[in-house]
Amino acid sequence: MSASTSATPFTDLAPAERLERVAAALMADLFAVEILDDAAAARARGT
């Protein structure tokens, strides 16, 4: 069984609207969420 998909690769950035929707859904389930500008900002933020 093979299927053809047209999914975007993980190298493509998600649109800001999608990030906001996902963040809102996670926060509704009491997750802490931060959307940062890039990987460097995430590394600098740490845990």
Side-chain angles (χ1 to χ4, degrees):
M1 171 191 214
S2 68
S4 175
T5 61
S6 61
T8 56
F10 289 109
T11 56
D12 291 347
L13 299 177
E17 181 181 279
R18 184 179 304 157
L19 291 174
E20 293 295 335
R21 258 192 344 259
V22 170
L26 288 168
M27 288 187 287
D29 286 335
L30 304 179
F31 282 86
V33 177
E34 289 183 74
I35 298 175
L36 302 172
D37 291 330
D38 55 28
R43 284 188 204 98
R45 176 70 176 93
T47 55

